[in-house]
């Protein structure tokens, strides 16, 4: 059984995640990490830029013009940007699991608000909303204006004493099911105001739905190539799935067993048993919730002891600064858009220079725009304005 050292794992990040050598285009950048986080509107732009050096127009074209990358609610109730050919796998597995969870919670909260048959109420609201979207795509506010029942006030999720309009939660159920997608963005590139659109209208055809077993197999196959070696625990966390589903998928893929440097059992893609090494230095500035930062549950080999400085209490990462496969700091934006690197440990002179060069390039890419994140790292709270990527 092959042992994969931490040094090799860090080299793999540089090569497989297109951070040491840029990918050729936006779609290739997405495939390098299986899919991009898209919870915040700016995240997918910044993650794609970090891996391809694409300008904003090219990234927008992939999302809204060519539509080769599509945003879908999936693993762990998170919005991801998937290559189109991976949608069927996600819809049948991780997204289907989220759909069931969201539907059950919405039905329960509807009944807490006095509605007799919660499941039937959810089905009816989803059908009404889907019909309205097929007639004319719209933002959440526009759909609430056109479908009065979406304004029904029910118990807010996790807060039974608080009533709130149900529209957003109904649309989340539809989004997780894959019936609708976040189509055009009615806001600026760094602000999320999705125009909800029927998926067949958006893509020209329905991408289909794999069954659960096939869907998890394909997600695990791609994750292993991007992130392997990884542990069963890493995959359970990343997928938001059960151990049973992960173990079956690993078996279906024919994953190759390996050992991490500390002796922990792990898995590799079946075609990925040769040693991977990198012979150059590299630096990167990644946004909040970047797929590389969030790709594993066990992060010591690239994060070290910096978690409390860079992650919030829920395990969400803010922006990160990388040197040769390790997180060595964060970065922020000043009010004029200038990017500033904030180390959390001493770095070599070469690393400091490379990170400053990356900051200058990113400042130019922003061209004066400032973006805000809900995941500001603890280490910089109070240091600058909320303006941060």
């Amino acid at each position: 059984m092959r042992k994969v050292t931490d040094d090799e794992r860090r080299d793999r990040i540089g090569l497989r995640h297109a951070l040491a050598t840029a990918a050729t285009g936006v779609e290739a950048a997405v495939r390098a990490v299986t899919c991009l986080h898209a919870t915040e509107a700016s995240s997918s732009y910044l993650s794609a830029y970090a891996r391809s050096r694409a300008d904003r127009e090219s990234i927008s074209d992939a999302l809204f013009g060519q539509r080769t990358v599509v945003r879908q609610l999936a693993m762990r109730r998170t919005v991801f940007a998937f290559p189109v050919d991976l949608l069927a796998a996600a819809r049948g597995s991780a997204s289907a699991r989220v759909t069931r969870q969201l539907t059950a919670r919405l039905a329960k909260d509807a009944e807490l608000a006095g509605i007799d048959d919660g499941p039937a109420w959810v089905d009816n609201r989803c059908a009404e909303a889907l019909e309205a979207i097929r007639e004319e795509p719209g933002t959440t506010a526009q759909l609430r204006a056109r479908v009065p029942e979406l304004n029904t006030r029910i118990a807010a999720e996790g807060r039974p004493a608080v009533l709130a309009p149900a529209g957003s939660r109904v649309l989340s159920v539809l989004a997780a099911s894959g019936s609708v997608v976040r189509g055009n963005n009615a806001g600026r590139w760094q602000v999320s105001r999705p125009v909800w659109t029927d998926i067949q209208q958006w893509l020209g055809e329905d991408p289909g739905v794999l069954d659960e077993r096939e869907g998890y197999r394909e997600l695990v196959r791609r994750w292993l190539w991007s992130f392997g070696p990884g542990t069963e625990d890493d995959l359970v966390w990343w997928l938001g799935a059960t151990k049973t589903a992960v173990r079956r998928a690993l078996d279906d893929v024919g994953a190759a067993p390996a050992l991490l440097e500390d002796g922990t059992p792990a898995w590799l893609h079946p075609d990925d048993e040769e040693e991977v090494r990198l012979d150059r230095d590299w630096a990167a500035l990644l946004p909040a919730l970047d797929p590389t930062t969030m790709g594993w549950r066990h992060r010591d080999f690239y994060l070290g002891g910096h978690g409390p400085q860079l992650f919030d209490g829920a395990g969400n990462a803010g922006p990160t600064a990388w040197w040769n496969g390790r997180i060595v700091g964060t970065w922020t934006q000043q009010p004029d858009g200038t990017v500033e690197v904030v180390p959390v440990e001493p770095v070599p002179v070469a690393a400091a220079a490379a990170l400053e060069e990356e900051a200058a390039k990113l400042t130019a890419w922003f061209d004066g725009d400032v973006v805000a994140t809900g995941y500001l790292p603890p280490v910089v709270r109070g240091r600058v304005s909320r303006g941060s990527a």
Side-chain angles (χ1 to χ4, degrees), residues 68-380:
T68 54
V69 180
V70 178
R71 294 172 294 174
Q72 166 73 31
L73 190 62
M75 296 81 76
R76 309 184 315 278
R77 295 181 55 182
T78 298
V79 181
F80 290 87
F82 287 94
V84 167
D85 67 335
L86 193 52
L87 281 175
R91 291 170 78 192
S93 55
S95 293
R97 178 177 172 85
V98 171
T99 302
R100 293 191 294 270
Q101 294 169 340
L102 293 179
T103 301
R105 291 169 186 170
L106 182 54
K108 179 179 178 181
D109 286 342
E111 292 178 353
L112 288 174
I115 294 169
D116 290 336
D117 188 340
W121 184 87
V122 173
D123 287 345
N124 290 335
R125 299 297 78 77
C126 285
E128 292 168 354
L130 182 57
E131 181 180 2
I133 290 167
R134 286 173 173 167
E135 290 176 356
E136 182 181 355
T139 65
T140 301
Q142 290 168 339
L143 291 168
R144 285 179 56 192
R146 289 163 48 199
V147 184
E149 288 294 334
L150 294 181
N151 296 296
T152 304
R153 300 180 71 83
I154 65 170
E157 187 173 357
R159 303 173 66 190
V162 178
L163 299 182
S168 294
R169 294 179 65 184
V170 171
L171 291 169
S172 290
V173 171
L174 287 174
S177 73
S179 301
V180 303
V181 296
R182 290 162 169 80
N184 288 314
N185 187 17
R188 300 184 67 198
W189 69 273
Q190 69 269 51
V191 178
S192 182
R193 288 186 60 201
V195 177
W196 299 100
T197 307
D198 175 79
I199 191 166
Q200 188 162 337
Q201 293 174 354
W202 185 247
L203 295 177
E205 62 180 5
D206 193 304
V209 181
L210 295 182
D211 69 35
E212 180 179 309
R213 183 168 182 168
E214 291 176 339
Y216 278 130
R217 179 182 62 199
E218 183 59 15
L219 286 176
V220 166
R221 186 182 72 82
R222 298 208 194 185
W223 184 92
L224 285 172
W225 184 259
S226 296
F227 295 91
T231 67
E232 178 186 292
D233 207 24
D234 289 328
L235 270 165
V236 168
W237 177 83
W238 187 81
L239 286 168
T242 64
K243 288 185 177 180
T244 298
V246 168
R247 288 169 180 169
R248 184 171 62 186
L250 287 167
D251 186 60
D252 288 345
V253 167
L259 293 176
L260 302 182
E261 185 169 295
D262 64 1
T264 300
W267 299 94
L268 286 163
H269 188 284
D271 299 327
D272 187 29
E273 294 191 68
E274 296 298 319
E275 185 178 22
V276 174
R277 299 314 304 259
L278 181 61
D279 60 359
R280 68 182 72 92
D281 292 331
W282 61 274
L285 299 179
L286 303 182
L289 303 178
D290 185 85
T292 298
T293 312
M294 301 295 295
W296 298 265
R297 181 173 185 178
H298 300 292
R299 304 168 177 141
D300 285 353
F301 74 99
Y302 63 93
L303 180 60
H306 300 317
Q309 296 171 287
L310 301 172
F311 284 70
D312 66 20
N316 298 305
T320 50
W322 291 70
W323 174 246
N324 289 344
R326 293 181 58 253
I327 295 176
V328 296
T330 182
W331 60 273
T332 66
Q333 271 188 288
Q334 296 302 318
D336 65 356
T338 300
V339 173
E340 176 188 1
V341 177
V342 183
V344 292
E345 65 175 58
V347 297
V349 173
L355 289 168
E356 287 304 319
E357 182 178 353
E358 289 298 312
K361 291 178 180 177
L362 188 52
T363 297
W365 186 89
F366 276 121
D367 193 24
D369 283 342
V370 177
V371 299
T373 180
Y375 306 99
L376 197 63
V379 70
V380 297

Side-chain angles (χ1 to χ4, degrees), residues 51-70:
R51 294 171 172 84
S52 67
R53 303 303 179 180
D55 56 32
R56 289 204 295 274
E57 291 73 19
S58 297
I59 299 169
S60 291
D61 187 51
L63 288 166
F64 309 117
Q66 299 299 317
R67 302 174 185 179
T68 54
V69 180
V70 178

